[in-house]
């Protein structure tokens, strides 16, 4: 496996048009604007020009009167481009008809994710708005100020008398000019070092319920391009043959019959398998079936999921290998408790299963530079990976950051698997021959990266008055961080992604112990939408419901009694309960469940209504969601992400499961791995908590509460908690 350090290099931009920017320093976010005739492309500087200031490249005003916003964050459907554009447009006062947003990369000082300390560029953890909140507003405000100053100088009028509205500057003397007409003049204006942002009461874009996504038309009429749509002169298509077992390698292969097929360009070995290259996808697929590969499985993982979960359960019976939280004395409190409740949970592997199968295109040019087109969720890492494979330096690599038809974490891979394959094939083909590596759905399902399988062994103690006095949770599963460039985040044997949502649960319990046993398994795992909270929220929130029942208390009231120190948790819980008419009678056969969870600093409570239709048969009919994500930037988009997260999480807990037999994945496509179908989607109501706090993310936090809310509704209906997922496979009434 290729290993990469996060020592990204600054790549020097070409000179062009009118750009602005800011950067982070050790002291925090500092705006150090300087006017640049530059773009964030990763090419060599023009000979003889001064070195480019690294503090640049967020907003570009073109002479053609376009507003081109260079996004540090990757767009995969979650609306980050829309959110960033809203921040700029609030301060710039441009016209939305002028706006385009493109992916930027190649300069960590410019595009490093500030929520991650600015150390490297990447999109994940629902951090896009957190990272963008100040710097993109300041970029918009600085651009506006420079345009106003340019107009004042050109018209010989005071700047304070100039108004800006919908991309037009005007003065009472009947003088008018568009942004594009003033762009050249603005290049002579010093970039302001201290820009003033609008006060909240002046906002017209941020928080507007009327503002809709600027890019919706292209996504619905088929004009939006994705990596799968990339077209280049002479573009070849490669399909992959991967080993059936993880960890196996190519022993030898025979491609004689495949190469004899008309339209086949080559068959080459890659770090992980064999690539069949042809003029088009159909020919490549036909040729692929003619290749014979002998695999070396001496180091392959050969255990099945049943074997692994049996081992996990055995480990869960013993003490944890590491401690993630240890408040008070949980063992003593459990020993003296008036009532002890125990529960064991099992969670399967899950696939990301995004609608666009994985892909990337690459070309090595005659001058030795490398270009890669793709859904680059971690650009710095991919740039280094491409350079390493091509045998060059990162400054010779240009990434074309394209929109992706979903990711859910799958395109943020520390070893850059897709990029490595694309560049390796391009290198084998030789300079000037572009190639697109296109995985099939089966490649993705059977040879991808997965949400790890987990087991939770839990105990809790109640005193004689029904007060929760102790909670113990032993979590068993694989580490996502371990063995990756982010392994430094594993402290004292604890991967934070394994225990998040459990080690930081908000409930006031005097004695809490959370232990972790990390397993060594050869199945590749990766963050999956909302990461550790995908299993910890289910275990914690269904267990809390059982404890409320054991104490003879209402589930909402019981939770609220434990949340005095967490008012934002309590507020969303109260709001969801109020909007769902919690406590009011339901028609016969209909039941409610509730769950509360914080992930990525966003607080979400969900109340579910289900209808029991018979033994082991029910429907999820209504979901009432309350969300506190700080300052709401795009309310319509927040609602859309909550709705999408609820549907995503609902499919996972109801029916999704990835299993292995003898080390080989059993599922291949959407017929055997079954995300939520449209007729299963419930009515969803989203209520956004007004807030003046800084914005947090919404791409993931809607996912965790839906599972336990459904399970708690089922417990209300049947008296039983489903503790082994997926629910539809393991529900037995």
């Amino acid at each position: 496996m290729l290993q990469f350090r996060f020592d990204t290099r600054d790549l020097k931009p070409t000179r062009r048009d009118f750009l602005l920017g800011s950067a982070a320093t050790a002291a925090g976010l500092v705006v150090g604007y300087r006017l640049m005739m530059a773009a964030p492309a990763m090419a060599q500087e023009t000979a003889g020009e001064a070195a480019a200031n690294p503090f640049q490249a967020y907003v570009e005003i073109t002479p053609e009167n376009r507003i081109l916003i260079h996004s540090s964050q990757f767009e995969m459907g979650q609306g980050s481009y829309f959110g960033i554009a809203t921040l700029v447009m609030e301060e710039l006062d441009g016209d939305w008809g002028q706006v385009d947003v493109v992916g930027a990369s190649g300069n960590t000082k410019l595009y490093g994710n500030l929520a991650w300390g600015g150390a490297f560029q990447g999109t994940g953890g629902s951090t896009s708005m957190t990272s963008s909140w100040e710097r993109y507003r300041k970029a918009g405000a600085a651009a506006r100020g420079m345009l106003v100053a340019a107009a004042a100088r050109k018209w010989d009028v005071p700047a304070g008398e100039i108004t800006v509205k919908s991309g037009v500057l005007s003065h009472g003397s009947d003088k008018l000019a568009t942004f594009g007409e003033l762009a050249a003049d603005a290049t002579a204006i010093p970039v302001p070092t201290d820009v003033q942002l609008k006060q909240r009461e002046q906002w017209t874009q941020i928080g507007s319920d009327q503002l809709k996504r600027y890019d919706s038309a292209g996504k619905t009429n088929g004009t939006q391009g994705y990596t799968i749509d990339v077209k280049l002169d002479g573009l070849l298509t490669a399909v992959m043959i991967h080993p059936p077992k993880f960890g196996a390698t190519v022993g030898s292969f025979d491609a004689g019959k495949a190469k004899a097929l008309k339209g086949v360009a080559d068959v080459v070995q890659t770090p992980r398998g064999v690539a069949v290259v042809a003029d088009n996808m159909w020919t490549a697929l036909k040729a692929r079936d003619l290749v014979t590969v002998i695999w070396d499985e001496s180091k392959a993982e050969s255990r099945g999921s049943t074997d692994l979960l049996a081992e996990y359960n055995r480990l869960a019976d013993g003490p944890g290998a590491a401690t993630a939280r240890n408040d008070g004395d949980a063992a003593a409190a459990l020993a003296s408790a008036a009532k002890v409740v125990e529960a064991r949970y099992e969670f399967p592997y899950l696939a990301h299963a995004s609608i666009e199968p994985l892909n990337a295109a690459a070309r090595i040019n005659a001058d030795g530079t490398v270009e890669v087109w793709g859904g680059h969720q971690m650009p710095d890492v991919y740039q280094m990976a491409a350079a390493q494979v091509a045998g060059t330096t990162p400054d010779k690599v240009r990434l074309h950051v394209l929109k992706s038809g979903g990711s859910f974490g799958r395109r943020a891979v520390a070893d850059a698997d897709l990029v490595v394959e694309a560049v390796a094939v391009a290198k084998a083909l030789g300079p000037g021959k572009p190639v697109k590596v296109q995985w099939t759905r089966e490649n993705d399902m059977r040879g991808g990266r997965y949400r790890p399988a987990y087991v939770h062994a839990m105990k809790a103690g109640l005193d004689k008055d029904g007060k929760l006095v102790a909670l113990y949770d032993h979590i068993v599963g694989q580490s996502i961080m371990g063995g990756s460039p982010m392994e430094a985040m594993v402290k004292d044997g604890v991967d934070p992604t394994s225990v998040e949502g459990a080690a930081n649960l908000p409930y006031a319990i005097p004695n809490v112990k959370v232990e972790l046993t990390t397993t060594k398994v050869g199945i590749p795992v990766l963050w999956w939408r909302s990461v550790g909270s995908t299993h910890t929220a289910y275990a914690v929130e269904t267990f809390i419901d059982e404890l409320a029942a054991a104490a003879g208390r209402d589930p909402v009231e019981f939770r609220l009694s434990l949340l005095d120190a967490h008012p934002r948790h309590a507020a969303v819980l109260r709001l969801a309960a109020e909007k769902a008419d919690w406590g009011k009678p339901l028609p016969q056969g209909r039941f409610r469940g509730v769950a509360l969870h914080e992930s990525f600093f966003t607080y979400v409570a969900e109340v579910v209504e289900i209808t029991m239709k018979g033994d082991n048969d029910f429907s999820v009919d209504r979901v009432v969601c309350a969300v506190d994500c700080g300052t709401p930037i795009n309310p319509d988009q927040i609602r859309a992400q909550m709705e999408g997260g609820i549907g995503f999480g609902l499919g996972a807990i109801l029916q999704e499961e990835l299993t292995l037999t003898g080390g080989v994945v059993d599922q291949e496509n959407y017929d055997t791995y079954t995300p939520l179908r449209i007729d299963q989607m419930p009515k969803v109501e989203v209520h956004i908590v007004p807030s003046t706090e800084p914005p947090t993310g919404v791409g993931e936090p809607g996912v965790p509460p839906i599972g336990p809310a459904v399970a708690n509704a089922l417990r209300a209906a049947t008296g039983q908690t489903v503790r082994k997922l997926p629910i539809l496979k393991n529900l037995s009434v």
Side-chain angles (χ1 to χ4, degrees):
M1 178 184 294
L2 295 168
Q3 298 291 328
F4 308 107
R5 303 187 310 275
F6 289 107
D7 55 349
T8 53
R9 308 181 184 191
D10 293 341
L11 300 176
K12 300 178 180 180
T14 58
R15 303 272 171 171
R16 191 183 62 166
D17 294 334
F18 166 36
L19 296 139
L20 306 170
S22 65
T25 69
L29 184 64
V30 176
V31 180
Y33 297 105
R34 172 183 162 194
L35 192 65
M36 298 293 297
M37 297 287 288
M42 291 161 290
Q44 295 287 12
E45 279 197 345
T46 304
E49 290 184 327
N53 187 329
F55 305 146
Q56 53 84 33
Y58 294 131
V59 181
E60 178 181 352
I61 310 292
T62 74
E64 295 78 25
N65 202 33
R66 301 298 299 169
I67 301 170
L68 193 59
I69 299 168
H70 298 273
S71 173
S72 64
Q73 302 305 114
F74 173 49
E75 175 62 72
M76 45 195 147
Q78 82 279 32
S80 61
Y81 280 9
F82 178 41
I84 286 173
T86 302
L87 301 179
V88 171
M89 294 293 280
E90 181 63 76
E91 300 293 339
L92 184 59
D93 291 316
D95 188 315
W96 277 97
Q98 300 172 268
V99 173
D100 289 312
V101 185
V102 295
S105 66
N107 193 319
T108 305
K109 289 183 179 178
L110 294 178
Y111 305 124
N113 189 317
L114 300 183
W116 300 341
F120 67 98
Q121 185 183 1
T123 303
S126 297
T127 57
S128 289
M129 294 304 101
T130 301
S131 178
S132 306
W133 175 235
E134 272 205 358
R135 61 181 173 188
Y136 278 95
R137 284 191 296 149
K138 288 184 175 181
R144 184 187 188 280
M146 294 171 70
L147 290 164
V148 167
R153 178 181 294 180
K154 184 174 183 177
W155 298 338
D156 193 23
V157 298
E161 295 180 2
I162 295 174
T163 60
V164 185
K165 185 177 180 180
S166 299
V168 176
L169 293 91
S170 62
H171 184 261
S173 58
D174 294 329
K175 289 182 169 57
L176 296 171
T178 66
F179 285 1
E181 289 169 339
L182 288 167
D185 294 313
T187 63
I189 302 298
V191 178
T193 57
D194 184 20
V195 295
Q196 296 299 311
L197 300 178
K198 292 179 182 179
Q199 298 299 308
R200 285 177 179 262
E201 58 269 19
Q202 298 174 297
W203 289 349
T204 61
Q205 309 293 311
I206 296 173
S208 171
D209 235 332
Q210 308 307 311
L211 192 62
K212 306 300 180 183
R213 282 184 68 156
Y214 77 99
D215 57 351
S216 294
K219 293 177 180 296
T220 54
N221 63 21
T223 58
Q224 174 63 62
Y226 300 90
T227 311
I228 201 169
D229 302 311
V230 166
K231 292 179 174 60
L232 302 167
D233 289 342
L235 182 67
L236 298 169
T237 298
V239 298
M240 297 304 306
I241 306 173
H242 292 138
K245 292 183 180 180
F246 296 106
T249 57
V250 177
S252 62
F253 68 95
D254 182 354
K257 292 180 181 179
K259 288 183 176 181
L261 194 65
K262 183 180 178 180
V264 173
D266 206 350
V267 180
V268 300
Q269 186 171 338
T270 68
R272 197 179 151 205
V274 175
V276 181
V277 188
D279 292 341
N280 54 67
M281 183 78 176
W282 178 242
T283 302
L285 288 171
K286 288 197 297 182
R288 178 199 62 182
D289 295 339
L290 299 176
V291 177
T292 301
V293 183
I294 297 176
W295 302 102
D296 178 356
E297 297 183 345
S298 58
K299 297 181 180 179
E301 176 60 73
S302 295
R303 289 173 290 181
S305 47
T306 301
D307 304 322
L308 292 170
L309 283 170
E311 175 66 7
Y312 286 16
N313 275 292
R314 185 189 68 78
L315 292 169
D317 288 334
T323 301
R325 178 174 176 177
N326 192 13
D327 296 348
D329 189 337
L334 285 167
S336 61
K339 182 182 292 186
V340 174
V341 181
E342 298 189 38
R344 180 71 59 96
Y345 295 88
E346 292 186 12
F347 300 90
Y349 288 102
L350 295 174
H352 298 80
S354 53
I355 196 68
E356 181 185 12
L358 294 172
N359 42 40
R363 178 177 63 205
I364 298 178
N365 299 314
D367 62 1
T369 59
V370 181
E371 295 183 80
V372 186
W373 292 258
H376 301 310
Q377 197 169 343
M378 296 176 69
D380 292 345
V381 176
Y382 296 174
Q383 187 179 12
M384 288 187 287
Q388 185 171 332
V389 173
T392 187
T393 53
D395 60 299
K396 302 293 185 184
V397 178
R398 180 179 182 182
L399 300 181
H400 300 271
V401 183
L402 305 180
K403 294 180 181 178
S404 172
S407 172
F408 315 117
R410 181 59 183 88
R411 288 185 178 270
V413 191
D415 67 1
D417 54 355
L418 259 292
V419 169
V420 166
E421 285 186 341
V423 176
V425 176
K427 183 179 181 181
L429 294 174
K433 295 182 179 180
V435 62
K436 177 169 61 181
V437 172
Q438 179 64 60
W439 282 23
T440 63
R441 178 71 58 203
E442 289 75 14
N443 285 142
D444 196 10
M445 198 71 69
R446 305 193 80 177
R449 312 294 175 90
Y450 311 110
R451 197 286 303 272
Y454 285 97
V455 166
H456 285 243
M458 304 184 74
K459 295 180 183 179
L462 299 165
D463 67 12
K464 60 183 177 58
D465 298 319
K467 180 182 177 182
L468 181 55
V469 295
L471 180 70
Y472 171 77
D473 188 358
H474 181 188
I475 303 170
V476 181
Q478 284 175 258
S479 167
I480 294 172
M481 297 289 193
S484 82
M486 285 160 266
E487 190 165 24
M489 294 183 68
V490 178
K491 303 293 186 183
D492 300 321
V494 176
D495 181 338
T497 69
S498 296
V499 299
E500 60 184 350
N504 62 327
L505 81 168
Y507 299 117
I509 308 169
N511 304 284
V512 178
K513 189 168 188 179
V514 178
E515 294 184 326
L516 175 67
T517 297
T518 297
T519 57
K520 298 294 184 182
V521 181
I523 297 167
V525 294
L526 189 65
W527 22 75
W528 186 94
R529 193 175 185 178
S530 70
V531 201
S533 293
T534 61
H535 57 97
T536 58
Y538 189 97
V540 169
E541 285 296 294
T542 57
F543 201 39
I544 288 290
D545 238 54
E546 290 193 51
L547 296 172
R553 298 170 69 179
D554 175 81
V556 171
E557 182 273 327
F558 184 70
R559 286 174 170 82
L560 288 172
S561 72
L562 302 171
L563 291 171
D564 288 346
H566 294 275
R568 294 178 77 178
H569 288 81
V572 292
L573 179 58
R574 287 193 183 97
L575 180 59
E578 173 195 341
K579 297 298 184 181
D581 294 324
W582 185 268
K584 293 184 179 180
L586 286 167
Q588 186 174 0
R590 201 166 172 107
F591 300 88
R592 290 191 188 98
V594 66
L596 168 70
H597 195 73
E598 173 201 347
S599 56
F600 309 108
F601 306 103
T602 291
Y603 308 83
V604 180
E606 293 170 11
V607 175
V608 162
E609 291 183 14
I610 67 168
T611 299
M612 296 302 297
K613 298 180 176 181
D615 291 347
N616 304 327
D617 186 17
F618 70 98
S619 62
V620 180
D621 303 309
R622 182 188 182 205
V623 181
V624 178
C625 170
V627 54
D628 177 355
C629 56
T631 298
I633 296 174
N634 300 121
D636 187 61
Q637 186 62 23
I638 292 169
R639 284 188 285 268
Q641 283 300 292
M642 289 298 109
E643 292 163 357
I646 286 166
F648 187 89
L650 185 58
I653 63 104
L654 287 180
Q655 58 211 33
E656 291 181 33
E657 178 184 33
L658 188 129
T659 61
L660 300 96
T661 301
V664 177
V665 174
D666 298 317
Q667 292 73 26
E668 290 189 329
N669 211 314
Y670 288 149
D671 57 338
T672 50
Y673 188 90
T674 52
L676 197 73
R677 290 350 192 196
I678 190 63
D679 62 351
Q680 296 175 289
M681 186 68 189
K683 176 185 177 183
V684 178
E685 305 165 28
V686 179
H687 303 276
I688 303 169
V689 175
S691 177
T692 58
E693 296 291 330
T696 51
V698 294
E700 299 171 88
V703 175
I706 186 63
V710 170
N712 290 338
L714 282 168
R715 192 196 58 77
T718 68
Q720 301 179 32
T721 298
V722 180
R723 296 191 181 129
K724 183 175 182 178
L725 295 185
I727 286 175
L728 294 181
K729 181 178 177 179
N730 296 288
L731 177 63
S732 178
V733 179

